[in-house]
Amino acid sequence: MTLDERLRAALAFRAAQARPDPTLYARVLDRRRRRRRATALVPAVTAGVVALAVAAVAVTAPDAARPPTASGTPGSVAPAPLAAVVTKDGPFRFDATTGRLGEEFGPWRTTTAVAAAGDGTRYAFAEPTASTDAQAHDACAGTIYLVRFGTEGSTQEGSVPTEGPVADLAFSADGTRLAYVVRRAAKDGGCARAELHVRTLATGAERVWTDGIAAGDIVMGGTYAEQLSWSPDGRHLAYVAGECCAGGGGFRVLDVTAPGESFLAPPEHGTYAPGDPSCGIVAVAYRGRTGELGAVRSCAAEEMTYDLVTVAEADGAVTATLARLDVAELDFVSELAFAPSGDAALVLVGRPDKPGGLLRWTSGGDVRRVADGIRHVSW
Amino acid sequence: VTSSAIVEGSAVGETEVSLAALFAAHHRRLLAFALLLSDDYAGAEDLVQEAFARLPGRHLADPERAGSYLRATVLNLSRSRLRRLRTARRHDRQPVATLPSAEESAMERAEHDEVLAALHRLSPRQRQAIVLRYWSDLPEPEIAAAMGVSAGAVKSHTHRAMTTLRRLLEADR
């Protein structure tokens, strides 16, 4: 027997002893998860140190220096179901209290939108088809996946193919319907259109709003006709819309129970806050079960400011200011999500089309940065 | 259906492969590969876990590239690991422990153990070259790419390894 043959035989003999433990895959997933958490924790720890320093200063500061607060006892935040975020590594469950990533939804890296049903178990996310571009502006179709997390991990509950990439999606409060916006390419090479779908999950029946609502919602750079949010009674759908080419934008509230296209107010309302043309609404979301419509209002009087507020559905008039948000110069607020209880919120801030930071507001008036590297959020 | 298996056969694209599918396709052979490179079974499992844990998301869309990446990761990790272990085991001449196998006769096993023990006395680079050539059956350019060295270096490592193996195996007889 030559040395070559002896080597081959010995190596094959040793290799045949490789009998993978059935738990190996679970251990791989666990290790990947821990690696992600460790990566995500670096900015969170930094933010935590900063927050501690800020808190130390706040303790010694006079009460008048504190931001306006809504009702509620400072710091009394009931345990909330896990939110959902999209990072560069895909969609994850997210603990808004600790800022830690939870389970990943799967090996996805091109997620364009995510939605949490608010019960901590059901989530939906959208993936473009045939594109590895993280922003997926050029994708020609997409798929929405519905997943449920249980004691043994996640299971797929269904999927919905779409005829364009999904810009945003949201579960109704009772979890029976899913609203989503699909971007449709313009035939003439001009601006794209946005299509708003409301799907009854049990039957698959859909109602679609296109031109009319979409006429003013035409997508520009993939940033408009987004931030879908259902009123707790499932009658109204609020969202932020932009007008292609003409610029500008604002929030709209659609009555999904009415025939045709029925807004609570004409679509142009909300583009600018009533009585103050220097202010506008840049993000909206219903404040959980309270039924109030929350919003982020930006004003550019002397310097750009961002306030978390509640507004009237009909015209965007501010009904209460919850907190002043610390948003860096040149950064924007791109998404807002309230906890189902309404006593906490997550605000996504950053540059357009880039991962941003998450600010967490609690009803005590506390606002702190809890995570970085976030592309989308839902709670 | 687990979420990690959703991708298979879905509308995301035929080239998109889930981590679960990659794991199913590669883990057994990768474990064998790690076992040949490292000194112990637990260490080999650890290398495989770490390789999959480090697999970047962008490679999930390309199973072939992912396979190469995983193999290269195991290779690199095994080298670091062996470097650490060698310090502790510099004078250790114990034969490599193997799991009992009912199919193999005692004589065959003794013969294999002898070769494997000699193999594990090679330098990490030499051992890698031998495993990639005689077990992975890779051509020289691919061995060079996997090891991150030139083809000439592969030849040199292989030649020295074979010379050492001959000497060790003859000395043991």
Side-chain angles (χ1 to χ4, degrees):
Chain A
M1 213 176 180
T2 66
L3 181 55
D4 284 19
E5 289 167 340
R6 290 177 71 188
L7 265 176
R8 284 185 196 282
L11 290 169
F13 165 76
R14 181 66 166 149
Q17 292 171 342
R19 298 192 179 102
D21 187 307
T23 64
L24 189 58
Y25 184 60
R27 282 186 278 151
V28 165
L29 287 181
D30 183 54
R31 195 174 286 201
R32 280 179 77 85
R33 207 170 289 134
R34 278 188 279 122
R35 283 182 68 87
R36 297 260 163 68
R37 280 179 190 158
T39 308
L41 272 177
V42 173
V45 167
T46 308
V49 171
V50 173
L52 278 174
V54 170
V57 172
V59 164
T60 57
D63 285 349
R66 293 183 182 168
T69 62
S71 58
T73 308
S76 65
V77 181
L82 293 178
V85 294
V86 178
T87 74
K88 68 178 175 56
D89 294 318
F92 289 81
R93 293 214 288 178
F94 179 75
D95 186 331
T97 305
T98 62
R100 289 182 181 171
L101 293 179
E103 301 90 334
E104 63 181 327
F105 288 20
W108 305 91
R109 300 297 179 269
T110 56
T111 307
T112 57
V114 69
D119 59 3
T121 63
R122 296 174 65 216
Y123 300 84
F125 60 98
E127 292 288 324
T129 298
S131 172
T132 55
D133 173 9
Q135 297 304 316
H137 290 270
D138 57 346
C140 56
T143 306
I144 295 170
Y145 295 101
L146 303 166
V147 293
R148 180 188 291 275
F149 284 88
T151 52
E152 296 182 353
S154 62
T155 52
Q156 184 189 4
E157 290 198 311
S159 62
V160 180
T162 62
E163 294 183 357
V166 175
D168 197 16
L169 67 169
F171 281 101
S172 60
D174 62 6
T176 61
R177 285 174 294 169
L178 186 73
Y180 60 96
V181 170
V182 175
R183 287 196 290 262
R184 303 295 298 272
K187 289 176 183 170
D188 58 2
C191 298
R193 285 187 303 119
E195 241 177 39
L196 175 60
H197 296 239
V198 170
R199 183 182 185 90
T200 303
L201 292 170
T203 63
E206 284 206 350
R207 188 172 172 196
V208 183
W209 288 263
T210 53
D211 290 328
I213 286 179
D217 309 343
I218 297 168
V219 177
M220 187 166 61
T223 55
Y224 288 155
E226 294 178 351
Q227 300 186 56
L228 296 168
S229 179
W230 288 87
S231 60
D233 61 7
R235 295 176 61 87
H236 301 157
L237 198 53
Y239 58 94
V240 169
E243 294 180 9
C244 174
C245 309
F251 83 93
R252 295 172 189 182
V253 180
L254 173 72
D255 183 348
V256 297
T257 62
E261 299 151 4
S262 175
F263 293 100
L264 266 66
E268 63 269 22
H269 281 209
T271 300
Y272 299 104
D276 191 346
S278 69
C279 296
I281 301 296
V282 295
V284 288
Y286 280 97
R287 197 181 164 191
R289 291 186 285 272
T290 69
E292 292 178 305
L293 185 59
V296 174
R297 180 177 186 256
S298 79
C299 295
E302 292 178 2
E303 59 180 19
M304 189 67 83
T305 57
Y306 292 87
D307 290 308
L308 182 60
V309 298
T310 55
V311 297
E313 285 179 311
D315 61 6
V318 174
T319 53
T321 299
L322 306 179
R324 168 64 53 87
L325 302 174
D326 183 14
V327 179
E329 194 178 359
L330 301 180
D331 277 2
F332 298 90
V333 169
S334 53
E335 293 183 23
L336 168 65
F338 277 92
S341 61
D343 59 7
L346 291 168
V347 182
L348 181 59
V349 300
R351 308 286 168 82
D353 289 340
K354 290 190 175 173
L358 269 187
L359 304 180
R360 180 175 184 272
W361 166 83
T362 52
S363 58
D366 176 46
V367 179
R368 61 189 173 97
R369 199 177 181 100
V370 290
D372 281 298
I374 305 298
R375 293 186 190 279
H376 303 287
V377 62
S378 178
W379 202 349
Chain B
V1 179
T2 64
S3 66
S4 49
I6 291 171
V7 191
E8 294 179 270
S10 76
V12 173
E14 290 178 1
T15 58
E16 188 91 30
V17 179
S18 72
L19 182 68
L22 275 177
F23 184 83
H26 293 288
H27 79 286
R28 183 178 284 272
R29 191 165 175 81
L30 214 53
L31 181 62
F33 183 54
L35 193 56
L36 295 174
L37 295 176
S38 67
D39 284 8
D40 62 294
Y41 202 90
E45 279 199 333
D46 191 57
L47 291 180
V48 173
Q49 281 184 67
E50 191 59 23
F52 276 104
R54 292 185 183 196
L55 184 67
R58 62 181 184 278
H59 289 326
L60 291 172
D62 186 344
E64 202 168 312
R65 204 169 158 204
S68 304
Y69 181 90
L70 288 166
R71 188 174 59 207
T73 308
V74 167
L75 206 64
N76 290 332
L77 291 173
S78 74
R79 195 160 58 236
S80 325
R81 182 184 164 78
L82 282 173
R83 205 175 292 132
R84 287 198 303 273
L85 290 176
R86 281 176 81 81
T87 310
R89 301 181 183 177
R90 191 167 293 154
H91 305 293
D92 189 354
R93 291 289 181 271
Q94 289 180 357
V96 177
T98 54
L99 301 176
S101 166
E103 296 88 37
E104 298 290 334
S105 72
M107 268 184 73
E108 280 173 325
R109 213 162 57 224
E111 156 70 12
H112 296 326
D113 284 348
E114 190 185 4
V115 175
L116 291 169
L119 187 72
H120 284 278
R121 286 166 68 178
L122 299 176
S123 75
R125 283 293 195 188
Q126 290 174 3
R127 189 190 308 179
Q128 288 175 0
I130 292 296
V131 171
L132 288 167
R133 176 169 171 179
Y134 290 100
W135 185 73
S136 299
D137 280 326
L138 292 184
E140 223 160 56
E142 282 188 42
I143 296 174
M147 291 177 64
V149 297
S150 67
V154 172
K155 276 196 179 96
S156 169
H157 285 311
T158 310
H159 176 75
R160 286 180 189 168
M162 293 301 275
T163 305
T164 306
L165 284 173
R166 265 190 207 96
R167 182 171 51 77
L168 290 171
L169 292 170
E170 281 168 13
D172 285 349
R173 284 184 186 275

